[in-house]
Amino acid sequence: MKKLKAKFKLKTSASVKRLSKRSSKSGAPLVPRIAVAIMAAGKGTRLKSQIPKVLHEVGGRPVLEHVIRAAARVVPANDVFAIIGHEAERVRTAMQHARVNFVVQAEQRGTGHALMVAREALSRYDHVIVLSGDAPMISVSTIEGMRDFHLQQGAAMTLLSAELENPTGYGRVLRKSPRSPEVRAIIEEKAASAAQKRIREINSGFYVFDVKQLYGNIGKLSTDNPHAEYYLTDMAEVFRENGKPVVAWPTRTPNEVLGGNTRAELVDIDQQMRLAKCRQLMSDGVTIFYPATCVIDAEVEIAPDTIIEPYVQLLGETKIGSGCRIRSYSVIRDCEIAGNVMVRPGCVMEKAKIGPGAIIGPYSHLRPETDIAEGAHVGNFVETKKIKLGKGSKANHLTYLGDSEIGAGVNIGAGTITCNYDGVHKHKTIIGDDVFIGSDSTLVAPLRIGKGAYVGAASCITIDVPEDALAIARGRQFVKEGWARKKREERAKR
Ligand code: UD1
Ligand code: CA
C-alpha cells in the first residue's frame, strides 16, 4: 500500500509552473486548479459480460486501474474523480485502494451526461482533464502534453486526436482547415457521411475543458442522435457556435488511445502491454525467449542476466535477481527470488521467498510463506506451505512440508510427509540442523527433531527425537526361510 501511495504522488511538471506564473499577470489564479475526471460508468454492452467493462483485466490489472494510476501521476489522487454507474459499488470496491473520489452517474445517458453529473464535484477547479476509463494505455506524458497545449492555447476545449490506420468506430475530427489547430466539430461514426468516414484523424475520448466554459454551456447539449444520449463530443460544436476556441492536439503515439470495447480489443491491448513489458526487461538486460508466449505483469522486476524460457508467467509483485534461469511452464506470483536461482520446468509458486543459488523443481508447488534458504533444493512433486528450509537442505522428491522450521544441511527423504493438521488445528514441526529423515517417513506434529538426529525410513514419528539420536518407528521385519519354495511345491502337487 505504501508503494502504491508513493506512485500516486503529485508530480507538478515544470511547464505548469511556468504557465501558472504567466497567467498570474492576467489575474487568473497563480496555480490553475486542475482535476481529472475519468468516465467509467458505461456497461460495455459489446463485451457481453457480467463484469463491468472497466474491471476487465489487461496487463494484469483492471482497465480502469491503469487509467487511475496515470491520472494520479498528473494530479494528486484527491483531485481525481472516477465517474461510475453500471455496477457502481462493485467498481468502487475494486478501486478503493487507489484513494480517488467517486461520482455516481446512476443512469448512463451518455458521455456528456457523465460530465453533467460531475458538475458539483468539479466546480471548484479551473480546468478538468477528462479521460476514458476504457482506454488503459494512455501515458502520463501524453496527458501532460494535452494539458499544456490546452493552457497555452487558452482553449475552452482541447481534445487529444490520433491518426489511425483504421479509424472505424471512432468519432472523426473535423478541423476548421487542414492545418488549423481549431476544430469545427466531432462527428460520430454513425452520423458520418462516406467522405467524413475517410478522415483518419479520430477523437481519442480524452479532453481538457475550461470548467467555467464547460458548465456555462453544457446545458446546450441535446439528445438528438441515434442513441438519444448526451454526447460530450457535441461540446465542440456548441463551443464553436458560441465563439469559444476548441483545439485538437494530435498525439504522436496513437496506440495509447486504443479503447477496449470488445474482447478482441481487450486481448489486443493486453498483448501490446505484455510485449512492451518484455521489451523493457530485455533492454534492461534480461533474456526472454519467445516473449510472445510469456505473461509478465507490469510490476515484476528482474535483474540483468536472468533468462526466462518460453511459456512462463511472472505475476503480481514478483522480483527476480540476476543470473537466474526460469524454465518453461512455471507460474510464479508475488515471489521474491534471489540471484542464481534455477527454477526447473513446471513449478507453481506463490508468495515464496527463494535464497541465492537454490534449485526448485521440476514440478514443485511452493505455497504462501515458503522460505527457501541459500543453496537449498526442492525437487519434483514437493509441496510446501509456511515453512523455512535452511541453507543447503534438500527435499528432492514427492514430499509435503507444511508449518515447519527446518534447519541447515537437512536431508528430507523421498515421500516424507509432515502431518500438520489434526482435523481441527495446525501444528508445527521443528527439525534441527544436519538431520537425516529417511524416505517415506510421516512426522506427526507437534514435533521436534533435535540437531543431527536420524529418522529411519518409513517411520511414523509421533514423539520428539533428541539431538544425535536414531528414531525408528515401524513394524519389525520377519524372515521365514524357505516359505516361498514350500508354497510353490504345494501348488504343484494339486
Ligand atoms: C467515445 C466518443 C468517440 C471517441 C471514442 C474514443 C462519444 C459520444 N464518443 O465513443 O468520439 O472516438 O470514445 O474511444 O463520447 N461512459 C460513462 N457514462 C455514460 C456513457 C459512457 O461514463 O453515460 C463512459 C464509458 O464507460 C467509457 C467512456 O465513457 O469509459 C466512453 O464511452 P463509450 O460508450 O465507450 O464511447 P465510444 O463509443 O467508445
Ligand atoms: Ca470506448
Side-chain angles (χ1 to χ4, degrees):
M1 184 56 82
K2 222 192 235 165
K3 200 171 152 203
L4 206 64
K5 261 195 192 160
K7 282 217 174 88
F8 282 80
K9 236 172 84 185
L10 168 67
K11 218 174 87 184
T12 316
S13 82
S15 47
V16 162
K17 282 180 200 141
R18 248 183 284 125
L19 280 161
S20 41
K21 258 185 216 150
R22 206 180 308 154
S23 61
S24 68
K25 280 187 206 145
S26 62
L30 197 63
V31 177
R33 293 163 299 180
I34 300 179
V36 177
I38 303 173
M39 300 182 292
K43 179 166 184 238
T45 314
R46 287 165 276 181
L47 290 175
K48 303 188 173 69
S49 175
Q50 300 285 342
I51 303 164
K53 166 157 80 170
V54 293
L55 293 189
H56 278 256
E57 286 194 5
V58 290
R61 59 170 91 101
V63 170
L64 179 56
E65 192 171 332
H66 289 277
V67 184
I68 289 180
R69 278 175 184 244
R73 287 172 62 198
V74 177
V75 299
N78 58 359
D79 291 327
V80 175
F81 298 83
I83 303 169
I84 56 177
H86 176 70
E87 294 254 29
E89 287 322 302
R90 196 166 164 185
V91 177
R92 190 199 297 265
T93 307
M95 292 298 127
Q96 204 72 61
H97 61 280
R99 296 175 186 279
V100 297
N101 305 285
F102 295 95
V103 173
V104 176
Q105 182 195 14
E107 242 189 301
Q108 292 91 54
R109 300 171 63 195
T111 44
H113 182 246
L115 269 291
M116 290 177 188
V117 170
R119 183 181 199 137
E120 207 186 300
L122 298 176
S123 57
R124 65 191 169 89
Y125 294 92
D126 301 309
H127 302 275
V128 58
I129 298 170
V130 177
L131 307 179
S132 266
D134 66 347
M137 292 205 282
I138 192 70
S139 72
V140 170
S141 61
T142 299
I143 300 171
E144 288 176 345
M146 169 175 72
R147 172 202 63 196
D148 293 351
F149 188 72
H150 170 84
L151 297 175
Q152 279 157 11
Q153 297 282 317
M157 172 181 185
T158 299
L159 64 96
L160 182 73
S161 72
E163 288 263 346
L164 293 188
E165 279 304 317
N166 177 11
T168 312
Y170 290 90
R172 308 296 206 283
V173 177
L174 308 186
R175 291 193 181 242
K176 272 194 172 163
S177 66
R179 255 183 285 279
S180 160
E182 283 198 58
V183 171
R184 199 152 49 83
I186 300 167
I187 185 109
E188 290 303 297
E189 168 96 11
K190 281 219 169 104
S193 68
Q196 287 166 336
K197 279 185 185 156
R198 281 196 291 276
I199 297 175
R200 283 180 35 223
E201 186 178 18
I202 62 102
N203 166 37
S204 68
F206 296 96
Y207 318 87
V208 192
F209 289 95
D210 180 303
V211 168
K212 258 201 213 96
Q213 301 287 2
L214 174 65
Y215 289 114
N217 292 282
I218 202 165
K220 295 170 189 156
L221 286 180
S222 81
T223 55
D224 184 15
N225 55 55
H227 286 121
E229 288 185 348
Y230 293 104
Y231 286 169
L232 189 57
T233 46
D234 286 346
M235 284 309 297
E237 217 169 334
V238 167
F239 281 133
R240 184 180 55 90
E241 281 164 4
N242 290 271
K244 310 285 183 203
V246 178
V247 295
W249 188 67
T251 174
R252 261 175 277 154
T253 46
N255 267 14
E256 287 184 19
V257 310
L258 297 180
N261 299 296
T262 63
R263 300 271 175 173
E265 284 174 1
L266 283 173
V267 169
D268 183 46
I269 290 170
D270 181 75
Q271 227 159 30
Q272 292 196 37
M273 286 183 167
R274 304 287 186 189
L275 269 181
K277 175 71 182 178
C278 285
R279 278 202 203 99
Q280 181 59 53
L281 287 167
M282 289 191 277
S283 73
D284 292 346
V286 178
T287 293
I288 304 174
F289 290 116
Y290 292 91
T293 67
C294 293
V295 176
I296 304 180
D297 280 354
E299 303 296 296
V300 170
E301 293 172 20
I302 309 177
D305 285 328
T306 280
I307 296 173
I308 311 295
E309 292 194 358
Y311 297 99
V312 165
Q313 294 193 21
L314 303 173
L315 308 172
E317 312 232 315
T318 295
K319 288 188 178 58
I320 301 179
S322 74
C324 296
R325 190 171 187 110
I326 312 295
R327 304 212 48 202
S328 294
Y329 311 114
S330 289
V331 179
I332 300 174
R333 180 181 290 279
D334 297 327
C335 289
E336 209 179 298
I337 299 176
N340 302 312
V341 169
M342 165 69 95
V343 177
R344 291 176 171 154
C347 292
V348 176
M349 302 163 50
E350 187 176 353
K351 293 200 174 104
K353 203 176 153 205
I354 316 293
I359 300 175
I360 312 296
Y363 311 114
S364 303
H365 184 191
L366 308 191
R367 293 166 51 203
E369 294 183 59
T370 289
D371 184 347
I372 308 292
E374 184 176 348
H377 293 193
V378 176
N380 42 200
F381 306 108
V382 173
E383 177 182 344
T384 64
K385 187 219 73 179
K386 220 174 179 178
I387 66 149
K388 280 199 164 101
L389 185 65
K391 199 169 163 182
S393 291
K394 291 177 185 156
N396 270 336
H397 329 267
L398 305 154
T399 285
Y400 173 64
L401 299 172
D403 301 293
S404 307
E405 269 176 39
I406 301 165
V410 171
N411 186 82
I412 306 281
T416 297
I417 306 289
T418 54
C419 307
N420 59 327
Y421 186 48
D422 61 12
V424 183
H425 298 109
K426 301 275 169 72
H427 301 282
K428 228 172 154 177
T429 302
I430 297 175
I431 299 176
D433 294 345
D434 302 314
V435 163
F436 182 95
I437 308 284
S439 295
D440 196 26
S441 294
T442 45
L443 309 176
V444 181
L447 187 68
R448 275 173 189 273
I449 299 178
K451 266 201 275 176
Y454 265 62
V455 168
S459 290
C460 177
I461 302 293
T462 55
I463 302 166
D464 288 355
V465 180
E467 278 184 24
D468 296 323
L470 165 67
I472 304 178
R474 60 185 183 222
R476 262 189 182 280
Q477 182 173 340
F478 295 97
V479 176
K480 296 193 174 180
E481 292 278 355
W483 183 92
R485 188 179 355 99
K486 241 186 267 166
K487 272 273 169 208
R488 275 195 301 276
E489 287 165 1
E490 274 171 30
R491 240 181 279 131
K493 272 186 219 154
R494 264 190 254 130

